[in-house]
Amino acid sequence: MSHENDDQQPRPRREVPPIKVWVTDVEKAKVAELADQAGLSLSAYLLAAGLKNPIRSKLDFQAVSDIAKVNGDLGRVAGLLKLWLAEKRGQGARPIDVEAMMMDFRALQTEMTFLMSRMHKQ
């Protein structure tokens, strides 16, 4: 295999010959969808796939961001609960307040589970 350009500067992409790939309309639409999910052009997506480079979906990054926000909310709620329990020092709390706090925790846990399952499917 000849490497005539190994010691030279790489040429801009528009100056190198393209590779043609014959696809049906359905295949092209699917590849375009996958490229869009990864935040890449068709060309960049196909090049990455052809070179076996990892292709990450931009949706994965959005899911991670969403999970980080929910995790922050969980931390704040847990901090409030800890402060509340420390201030009460065994005095207890109204059952309705405890139930409301637990409902908040359950809602956040449900959201976290949903986000993690969405990320797993990507």
Side-chain angles (χ1 to χ4, degrees):
M1 175 155 60
S2 172
H3 296 288
E4 61 191 61
N5 202 21
D6 282 350
D7 57 346
Q8 299 173 8
Q9 291 291 340
R11 294 185 293 171
R13 290 271 178 208
R14 296 272 181 200
E15 293 180 12
V16 297
I19 296 174
K20 292 183 180 181
V21 180
W22 302 102
V23 294
T24 66
D25 290 341
V26 171
E27 291 167 335
K28 184 176 181 181
K30 180 63 178 174
V31 172
E33 178 185 338
L34 293 170
D36 183 58
Q37 287 177 3
L40 299 172
S41 67
L42 275 172
S43 181
Y45 179 82
L46 290 171
L47 179 62
L51 296 176
K52 295 186 179 179
N53 292 334
I55 299 171
R56 292 191 171 84
S57 170
K58 65 182 178 184
L59 298 177
D60 289 350
F61 297 118
Q62 183 61 49
V64 169
S65 175
D66 291 346
I67 287 173
K69 289 175 188 171
V70 171
N71 191 43
D73 290 342
L74 279 171
R76 282 186 288 284
V77 171
L80 288 172
L81 180 58
K82 183 178 178 179
L83 178 66
W84 181 28
L85 292 173
E87 287 180 358
K88 293 294 180 179
R89 295 199 180 150
Q91 294 176 20
R94 296 182 315 160
I96 195 166
D97 293 335
V98 173
E99 185 60 32
M101 181 71 72
M102 294 312 297
M103 287 175 62
D104 288 345
F105 267 116
R106 286 187 201 108
L108 289 170
Q109 288 173 326
T110 299
E111 186 175 355
M112 188 80 115
T113 300
F114 168 75
L115 292 171
M116 289 188 312
S117 69
R118 188 180 88 192
M119 206 168 100
H120 177 70
K121 292 177 184 175
Q122 297 299 324

